[in-house]
Amino acid sequence: MNSLLVKAWLRDWRRRPLQRLLTLVGVVIAVAVVLAVDLANQSAQRAFDRSMDEVAGTATHQILGPARGFDEAHYRDLRLAGWRDTAPIVEGPARLPDGRTIYVLGVDPLAEGPFRGAASDIGDAPVQRLVTEPGTILPPSGWWAGSGMAHEDGLTLETTAGRFEVTLLDRAAERDEPAVEADDEGGSLWVTDIATAQTLLGRPGRLDRIDVRLDDADIDGFAELLPDGLELVPVAARDQASRELAQAFRINLTAMSLLALLIAAFLIYNTQTFAVLRRREVLASLRLVGAGRRALFGVVMLEALLVGVIGTLLGVLVGMGLAQVLVGQVAQTVTDHFFVVAVTEVTPRPLALLAVIALGVGLSLLAALAPAWEAARAASPGSLGRGRLERRARRGLRGLAVAAVVLLAAGGVMLLLGTGGLVGSFVALFLLITGFVLLLPLVLAGVLRGLARLGRGRTLPRIGVRSLERSLSRSAPATSALTLALAAAISVSVMVGSFRDSVEQWLGQALTSDVYVVPVAPAAARSGARLPADWGETLARIAEAESVSTGSSQDTPSAVGMIDLYVVEPHPVWLDYLPLLRAEATGEALDRRLRETDAVLVTEPFAAHHDVGVGDRLEIRVDDGRRMFEVAGVYRDYGSPQGTVLMLGERFYAGTAGAEEVGSFGLRLPDDVDAGAVIERLEAWLAERETAAMVTRPGDIEQESMAIFDRTFAITHLLRVITLLVAFIAILGALMALQMERAREFATLRSLGLLPGGVRGLVVFQGAVLGGFAALAAIPLGLGMGWLLIEVINREAFGWGMDLRWPGREIAETVVLGVGAALLAALIPAWRMARMRLVPALREVP
Amino acid sequence: MEQQGSIEGAVLSLTDVAFGYPGEGEVLHGVDLELAAGERVAIVGESGSGKSTLLHLAAGLEAADRGKVHLTGKALAGLDEAARTRLRRSRVGIVFQSFHLIPTLTVLENVMLPLELATDLDAAQRRERAARQLAAVGLGDKGGREPEQLSGGEQQRVAIARALVHRPALILADEPTGNLDSRTGEAVFGLLLEQVRATGCALLLVTHCDDLAGRLDRVLRMQDGHLQDLAAEASAT
C-alpha cells in the first residue's frame, strides 16, 4: 500500500486526537465488559466445579441414608464384602473464631485414593497425621496467607455440637515448601479425618454418606447389598440441579454483557463512520490525484484494524481488572445460593481471550466496512458530499423498518412457541430488542420532522431539530445506544424491583414465629446443620412460648432425583400464612390432608423444574424408605431456586422413632411477653451448651435474606452502570461529531449575531431532544424487556413467579437519567462550539 | 467619550490596525480606514494580501492585535465577545463568497434569522419584512424552498437579502461574486449595489475584480498588509 496514502489518512489522528480517542474507548469498553463477565463466569464456574468435585470427588454413586446419618458399620461391611472403591464421608459447617463459616469434610484418608485429591496422599506426612492424631485438620492452602496462623497452631472451631480445639496442619510447611499463594479456589473446604469430623459435627459412629465408584455392570448387584434405609444414588443426579441453576445465573450475566456489547457496537459504528466521513475531503483529494478505489478501501480498513487491535489490547487489560471486581460478586452469589466457593484469582482461558480479541477487532472492521465501501465506491469526489450520504441514509430507513418487522415477528413467534429453553428465550428477547432498535431511526426521523413543523417561526429550535434530522446517520445510532441502555436500566429495575418486593412480602408471610433458634452456618450450608430435637420443650419453657415449630431441610432421593425436602412441625393455623398458589383444599382441610395422608406441598420453582402440579404423585425417600406422596398444593417460595418439597414431620417420620435433630426452632410468643428478654434468656441457655447456635428474630432473617438478595443483583447494577457509561460516550461522540460537522453553520450563525450562549443553548437543546427521545423510547422497550425477563426468562431459569410492580419511580429516574446523560454529553461540544474561532470555521469546505 | 471626535459620523473606522494569525506573522500592518455613512468602498488586492482579514476585523469576528477599530462610533477593543456580537448583529450585514446560508432553514427563514436575532419584532412582522426583502431581490416566490434547491446566483441573492433585512448601517461583502459565473456575478453585483443604494447603508466590498471595484465610490488596494488609496495616489501623481 502506498505509504503516502496511509500517511495522508492516518495523520488525522494527530489533528483530532479526541475523536480518535472516542473510537478507541468504544472498542476498549466493549471488549472489557465482555471479557470481564466471561472471566468472572469461568472462574466462578471452575471454583464451583472444584468445590463440587472436592466434595463428590470422582465417585459415580453415593450411598445415602436418613438425614441424621447412618451407622458407620455399614461402611465396614462393604469393605469386608470386597468393595474397596468406597469412601465414607461426614460433612457439615463450622465457625471460625473470626466469625467466618467453613465447611468440614471428614474423610478416611486410607480410602480416599481414587476419590479426591485433597486427602488422598497418605504418604504425605500431614495426611498421615490426620489419621494418627485426633483433632488435626487441613485448612485449604489459600487460607493460610491472611490468617496469621502457622502450622501446628491450635484453633477453636464452633459447631452445633459444641466448641472444639483443633490443630492446624499445613502441607507446605511440613514439606518445607514455600507458602502457597492465595489462589485456592476451593477455599472453604477443610479436610479432616472421619473420626475427628464425627466428633466435631456431633455424629459419633455415624456417616452422612459413602462415596462409591461403580461400573455399570455392578450397579444392580451393589444396590441389592444395601440394607433397608440406605439408598444408592448416582452422583450426577445430586449436583445436576445446582449445576443447571448456576448455569442459568451465568447465562443471565452473559446476556447482560452481550447487551453492553450491542450498545458498544453502536458506539464503534458511530465513531468509525464519523472518522471516515469527517475526512471525506481527504478522500476526495486522494481520488483526484489518482488513488484507486481498492487503495482507499484498504486504507480505511487498515485504520479500522489499527483501532481494533489497539482498542482490543487495552480492552483486555481493562477487562482483566474489571473481572477482579466481578468475580467476587459472582462467587458470592454462587455461595449464597448454591455452594460455598471462594475465588481470588481470575485466569483468562486462551480460547476466551482469542474469542474476545476476534470480537473487538472484528467489530471494528465490521463497523468500518460500510463507510469504507462508501468511500471507495464514490464515483467522484462530489458524491461523497454529506448531504448525499444523508439522503442515502434516509432512503435506507424503509429497509431497516422492514428488517425490524421481520425480527420482531421472529422474536414473537419464538416466544409464543417457547422453543429452545432459556437460551431460546434469550435469543427471542434479543430479536425483539434488535427489531425495536432498528425501528428507532424511522421513528426518530418522523419525530424530528414533526418537531420541526411545530417549530415553524422559531428559527433557532428549528435549526437544532432539522440539523439532527439531516444528520440521521449520526444521531440515530447514538439515540439507539442510549435507548438500549435506558431500556436495560428500566427492565432490570422492573425485574429486580418486582422480585425484591415479592421476596420481602414472602418473607413477611413465611416467618411466622417471633423468635428463631438456628445453627450458625452460611445460607447454602444451613440445610446440613442440625440442632438436637429434644431442645424444643426446654426452649418453649424458657421462652414461655405459645407454640414451637421446627423445620429441617435435607437433600433426599426421589423419583425426580435428589430434592430439597423441608420437613416441618408447624405452628397451628400455619396454612393461613402460606402463600398458596394452587391447592386441592385450604385451611383445616388441607392441614388434615397433609397430616393424615401421604401428601406434600411443593414450591413454585419445584413445580416448574420438575413439571409437577396438584394431584401428581411423587416417590420420595423418607425416614423409613421410599413412599409415594401426592402433591396437594403449590406455594410461592423464594427460599431455594432449586425448589423445595414441604412435608409435615409426622408423615416423614411415620413409623419411625421421630426426629433426633432439627434444622431450626421457631417460637411463637404471647403478645404480652417481652421478646428482648426472651432472647437474652435463650442466649444464656445456649451459651452454657457451647454450640454454634444462635437466636434470631424475623427481622434479622429478613435483613440477612435481603442482603443476600441485594448481593445477587449487585452485579446486574454494576453492568447497568457500565452500559449507561457506554451509552453516554456514544451520545457524547455523536453530539461532538454533529457539532464538528456543523461548525461552519454555527460560525455563520455567530457571524449573523448569535451569542456564544445561544450556541451553547442550541447544542444543549439538541442533546435534550436526543436524550428525551431516547428516554421516551426506552420506556416501552424497557417495560417490555422487564415483563419478558419476569414472565418468560426468570420462570425459565429459576421457576420463580413474581408480581409485576409498576416501576413509576424508576421510569421517572430513567427519563431524568437519559435527558441528564444527553445534556451532560452535550456540555463538552457546547463549550467547544461556543469558544471556536469563527474565521477558520467559516472557511471550512461545506 | 471615544466615539466622539475624529471618528464622529464614520460608520467604520480603523486606526493603525495590525493583525496576525498565530504562528503566521503579521498580516496587516498599521492599516487606517474610514468609511462614511452611505459610502461604498472597494478593497482590491492579491490573494493572501489581507483583504478578507480586514473585513473580519471590521465585523468583530477577529480582534486587532494593535490599533483601534470603531464600528458606528463604538470601539470594539473594549467589548467582550457577547457585546461585539450584539453590535455586529444590529449594525452589520455580511455577504460571504460561499453564501453561508443555513441549510436546515428555508429561504424565507434564512432571511428572517437576523430579525429574530437582532430585533424585537414579532413572528408575523419578521415574516412580513423578510418576505418583502426577498421580493426586493426577486425571489418572492421562493421563500418556502430550501437553499440547496436554488442556483448559486439565487443563493447569493438570498444572502444579500439576509444581510440587508435588519437595516444595518454597514454591509461587509467578501468576494460576493467569487463563486458565480461572470454573467450571474454581474447581475448579483448590480443587485447588491441597487439594494445598498436603496437602504442607504455603507458598503465595504472585497473583490479581485477591478471592473466591479471601479463602480464604487472609492477603491483601496491592499498590498502586503498595507492599505493604499488608489484615487489619492493618482491625484498625487
Side-chain angles (χ1 to χ4, degrees):
Chain A
M1 192 175 290
N2 188 313
S3 66
L4 272 180
L5 201 65
V6 175
K7 258 188 207 168
W9 190 245
L10 295 186
R11 277 212 177 130
D12 191 64
W13 287 59
R14 264 191 296 182
R15 288 176 61 210
R16 301 185 197 283
L18 195 62
Q19 282 292 317
R20 296 293 85 77
L21 194 70
L22 276 177
T23 318
L24 268 182
V25 166
V27 184
V28 171
I29 293 184
V31 169
V33 172
V34 176
L35 179 69
V37 172
D38 180 71
L39 278 177
N41 269 342
Q42 291 306 326
S43 303
Q45 173 68 31
R46 274 203 304 278
F48 181 82
D49 288 346
R50 250 177 83 169
S51 296
M52 296 288 266
D53 290 344
E54 289 235 11
V55 177
T58 57
T60 59
H61 291 74
Q62 292 177 337
I63 298 170
L64 301 171
R68 60 180 177 276
F70 52 89
D71 194 333
E72 64 184 5
H74 294 310
Y75 169 63
R76 204 171 41 238
D77 295 344
L78 282 174
R79 300 284 289 192
L80 288 173
W83 296 97
R84 313 302 292 181
D85 277 358
T86 50
I89 297 291
V90 173
E91 58 190 338
R95 189 162 61 167
L96 296 176
D98 64 7
R100 275 193 291 167
T101 309
I102 59 163
Y103 204 74
V104 175
L105 185 72
V107 299
D108 175 3
L110 297 168
E112 275 296 293
F115 290 95
R116 277 160 284 266
S120 61
D121 189 359
I122 197 66
D124 195 23
V127 175
Q128 220 166 34
R129 288 179 66 182
L130 286 181
V131 184
T132 54
E133 295 176 32
T136 48
I137 194 163
L138 277 174
S141 51
W143 174 80
W144 291 97
S147 69
M149 306 292 284
H151 179 56
E152 295 184 340
D153 276 359
L155 183 78
T156 305
L157 286 185
E158 207 175 320
T159 71
T160 50
R163 284 205 189 100
F164 300 91
E165 186 76 15
V166 292
T167 305
L168 304 173
L169 299 180
D170 182 2
R171 272 176 202 242
E174 193 85 9
R175 288 179 183 158
D176 211 15
E177 286 173 355
V180 175
E181 292 289 314
D183 64 346
D184 191 87
E185 292 178 346
S188 293
L189 209 60
W190 292 44
V191 177
T192 185
D193 178 60
I194 197 128
T196 304
Q198 285 172 332
T199 310
L200 288 176
L201 300 169
R203 312 223 207 311
R206 284 191 296 177
L207 301 178
D208 285 325
R209 64 170 208 258
I210 300 171
D211 287 350
V212 192
R213 277 156 56 98
L214 288 174
D215 292 332
D216 287 348
D218 296 333
I219 295 173
D220 291 340
F222 187 88
E224 280 171 18
L225 279 179
L226 296 180
D228 284 350
L230 296 191
E231 192 163 337
L232 188 67
V233 179
V235 166
R238 189 183 162 98
D239 59 7
Q240 191 56 33
S242 289
R243 284 185 199 274
E244 275 174 11
L245 279 159
Q247 195 187 3
F249 176 72
R250 288 202 316 276
I251 290 176
N252 271 319
L253 277 187
T254 307
M256 281 297 282
S257 81
L258 286 178
L259 194 62
L261 177 76
L262 197 61
I263 293 167
F266 276 108
L267 173 59
I268 296 176
Y269 171 77
N270 226 15
T271 47
Q272 285 282 36
T273 47
F274 178 66
V276 177
L277 293 178
R278 174 77 207 164
R279 285 169 285 172
R280 59 190 181 278
E281 70 274 27
V282 179
L283 283 174
S285 303
L286 291 172
R287 291 277 290 139
L288 281 176
V289 297
R293 288 179 179 180
R294 200 175 289 176
L296 286 185
F297 182 81
V299 84
V300 174
M301 293 309 286
L302 174 74
E303 182 187 53
L305 183 69
L306 276 177
V307 169
V309 169
I310 297 171
T312 302
L313 291 179
L314 290 174
V316 167
L317 291 179
V318 176
M320 301 270 283
L322 188 59
Q324 294 283 359
V325 180
L326 297 186
V327 76
Q329 294 198 344
V330 176
Q332 184 60 55
T333 302
V334 175
T335 299
D336 284 337
H337 295 293
F338 309 116
F339 205 87
V340 178
V341 295
V343 191
T344 50
E345 193 179 74
V346 287
T347 328
R349 296 172 304 154
L351 208 64
L353 266 181
L354 276 178
V356 95
I357 287 171
L359 190 81
V361 177
L363 205 59
S364 303
L365 289 174
L366 207 65
L369 207 57
W373 178 249
E374 197 72 58
R377 83 185 189 131
S380 67
S383 63
L384 273 171
R386 177 96 208 120
R388 197 186 172 94
L389 293 174
E390 285 299 340
R391 276 195 294 277
R392 195 172 297 161
R394 279 199 289 271
R395 277 202 300 274
L397 288 181
R398 276 200 195 130
L400 275 184
V402 171
V405 170
V406 170
L407 290 177
L408 286 171
V413 168
M414 271 191 83
L415 273 184
L416 284 176
L417 296 179
T419 48
L422 182 59
V423 175
S425 302
F426 267 119
V427 170
L429 179 63
F430 270 81
L431 285 177
L432 291 174
I433 292 172
T434 314
F436 187 93
V437 167
L438 289 183
L439 265 185
L440 284 180
L442 189 72
V443 179
L444 178 63
V447 167
L448 290 174
R449 266 198 297 275
L451 283 175
R453 217 164 283 145
L454 276 179
R456 239 180 238 290
R458 291 185 190 86
T459 316
L460 285 176
R462 209 163 133 72
I463 290 175
V465 171
R466 292 214 56 200
S467 86
L468 287 177
E469 194 215 336
R470 289 171 66 96
S471 303
L472 210 58
S473 70
R474 192 90 35 251
S475 43
T479 313
S480 301
L482 187 59
T483 304
L484 256 183
L486 295 174
I490 292 179
S491 66
V492 170
S493 298
V494 170
M495 186 188 74
V496 178
S498 302
F499 204 175
R500 204 174 193 286
D501 279 5
S502 301
V503 169
E504 251 180 336
Q505 194 187 350
W506 164 74
L507 280 170
Q509 287 177 322
L511 301 171
T512 53
S513 301
D514 298 309
V515 175
Y516 289 89
V517 177
V518 296
V520 174
R526 196 162 285 157
S527 65
R530 291 285 183 269
L531 297 171
D534 59 13
W535 280 12
E537 276 179 34
T538 316
L539 292 174
R541 188 170 36 78
I542 295 170
E544 299 166 18
E546 276 180 350
S547 61
V548 181
S549 69
T550 63
S552 311
S553 276
Q554 50 205 293
D555 286 345
T556 194
S558 77
V560 292
M562 293 300 290
I563 58 169
D564 177 33
L565 182 67
Y566 188 52
V567 179
V568 289
E569 299 281 358
H571 293 294
V573 295
W574 62 292
L575 283 170
D576 291 355
Y577 301 97
L578 197 75
L580 279 168
L581 296 169
R582 304 176 283 281
E584 58 177 39
T586 53
E588 277 182 33
L590 184 58
D591 185 62
R592 242 188 343 267
R593 170 95 163 93
L594 292 168
R595 286 183 196 281
E596 294 169 6
T597 63
D598 278 347
V600 290
L601 299 176
V602 299
T603 64
E604 199 182 12
F606 187 91
H609 290 317
H610 301 290
D611 196 22
V612 295
V614 177
D616 287 342
R617 289 168 69 78
L618 266 178
E619 190 189 46
I620 300 172
R621 191 204 146 86
V622 289
D623 206 34
D624 64 346
R626 287 189 177 227
R627 285 211 311 271
M628 290 299 288
F629 287 81
E630 193 168 318
V631 176
V634 180
Y635 66 101
R636 177 158 288 181
D637 179 283
Y638 299 104
S640 150
Q642 289 98 323
T644 302
V645 173
L646 185 148
M647 185 185 289
L648 292 188
E650 46 214 274
R651 302 315 310 167
F652 185 82
Y653 295 108
T656 67
E660 288 177 18
E661 292 176 327
V662 294
S664 65
F665 293 96
L667 305 167
R668 196 175 279 171
L669 307 177
D671 290 342
D672 56 348
V673 168
D674 175 9
V678 168
I679 289 172
E680 276 180 27
R681 289 203 299 274
L682 289 172
E683 281 176 343
W685 185 79
L686 286 176
E688 288 169 21
R689 319 245 100 55
E690 289 196 336
T691 56
M694 62 181 188
V695 186
T696 66
R697 302 181 69 163
D700 302 331
I701 298 174
E702 264 185 61
Q703 214 174 350
E704 189 200 359
S705 304
M706 294 322 292
I708 291 176
F709 181 91
D710 290 337
R711 278 205 299 270
T712 304
F713 287 100
I715 188 162
T716 33
H717 289 302
L718 189 66
L719 287 175
R720 197 175 66 156
V721 170
I722 293 170
T723 306
L724 272 175
L725 186 72
V726 176
F728 170 77
I729 293 170
I731 207 98
L732 170 67
L735 283 174
M736 283 190 64
L738 204 65
Q739 307 326 332
M740 284 173 74
E741 280 175 357
R742 301 276 168 208
R744 185 172 181 272
E745 234 171 275
F746 279 115
T748 305
L749 285 169
R750 289 275 291 109
S751 71
L752 291 176
L754 184 63
L755 295 172
V759 172
R760 276 194 294 271
L762 195 53
V763 178
V764 169
F765 168 74
Q766 288 184 321
V769 169
L770 291 186
F773 176 83
L776 291 177
I779 293 173
L781 180 60
L783 287 176
M785 283 164 68
W787 182 83
L788 284 174
L789 284 173
I790 290 173
E791 289 301 325
V792 180
I793 289 175
N794 211 54
R795 275 190 195 279
E796 190 79 51
F798 304 109
W800 277 317
M802 57 189 89
D803 302 321
L804 188 68
R805 188 178 62 109
W806 173 250
R809 191 172 61 92
E810 284 83 356
I811 287 178
E813 274 173 12
T814 304
V815 173
V816 172
L817 200 68
V819 178
L823 287 180
L824 203 64
L827 287 182
I828 297 174
W831 179 75
R832 281 167 65 109
M833 281 300 113
R835 281 186 72 244
M836 77 175 162
R837 286 190 60 205
L838 298 182
V839 173
L842 283 169
R843 283 181 179 149
E844 277 197 16
V845 182
Chain B
M1 285 170 72
E2 201 175 8
Q3 68 205 60
Q4 307 301 317
S6 67
I7 55 165
E8 195 176 4
V11 174
L12 175 70
S13 155
L14 281 79
T15 312
D16 191 26
V17 167
F19 178 80
Y21 291 105
E24 289 181 18
E26 216 169 65
V27 181
L28 300 180
H29 318 285
V31 170
D32 293 306
L33 170 69
E34 198 154 307
L35 208 69
E39 190 181 10
R40 298 166 307 162
V41 175
I43 300 177
V44 294
E46 291 173 3
S47 290
S49 60
K51 309 185 295 290
S52 295
T53 304
L54 180 68
L55 225 56
H56 296 147
L57 287 169
L61 296 174
E62 298 277 13
D65 296 337
R66 200 182 69 228
K68 291 173 182 168
V69 180
H70 287 82
L71 190 59
T72 60
K74 211 154 195 159
L76 295 186
L79 304 178
D80 62 13
E81 180 67 35
R84 279 211 307 271
T85 304
R86 280 192 199 95
L87 185 64
R88 178 169 64 242
R89 73 187 181 193
S90 60
R91 313 282 168 85
V92 179
I94 307 177
V95 181
F96 298 96
Q97 179 179 353
S98 48
F99 325 136
H100 281 275
L101 299 179
I102 305 296
T104 46
L105 296 179
T106 63
V107 164
L108 182 66
E109 286 168 337
N110 262 283
V111 181
M112 286 167 65
L113 192 55
L115 297 175
E116 185 166 322
L117 293 171
T119 70
D120 295 328
L121 299 177
D122 63 33
Q125 289 171 319
R126 291 198 299 262
R127 184 170 291 275
E128 191 269 326
R129 198 201 281 190
R132 220 174 333 127
Q133 189 65 54
L134 210 50
V137 297
L139 295 173
D141 57 337
K142 297 197 171 164
R145 301 230 180 142
E146 295 199 350
E148 283 176 358
Q149 295 172 303
L150 303 186
S151 69
E154 287 174 326
Q155 288 193 44
Q156 194 59 302
R157 282 200 272 165
V158 177
I160 291 169
R162 186 177 68 181
L164 287 159
V165 72
H166 57 302
R167 308 278 183 265
L170 170 67
I171 295 288
L172 298 170
D174 189 0
E175 303 271 14
T177 59
N179 270 9
L180 306 173
D181 62 68
S182 57
R183 236 175 79 186
T184 312
E186 174 66 31
V188 165
F189 188 75
L191 178 74
L192 176 64
L193 285 188
E194 179 196 313
Q195 290 296 311
V196 164
R197 197 175 299 125
T199 54
C201 60
L203 170 68
L204 182 61
L205 176 130
V206 163
T207 180
H208 274 106
C209 179
D210 290 343
D211 285 352
L212 294 180
R215 289 159 65 181
L216 300 193
D217 302 336
R218 195 151 52 109
V219 181
L220 306 171
R221 176 171 296 279
M222 181 68 81
Q223 198 159 17
D224 299 331
H226 295 282
L227 200 57
Q228 300 153 344
D229 189 332
L230 293 181
E233 280 176 13
S235 64
T237 54

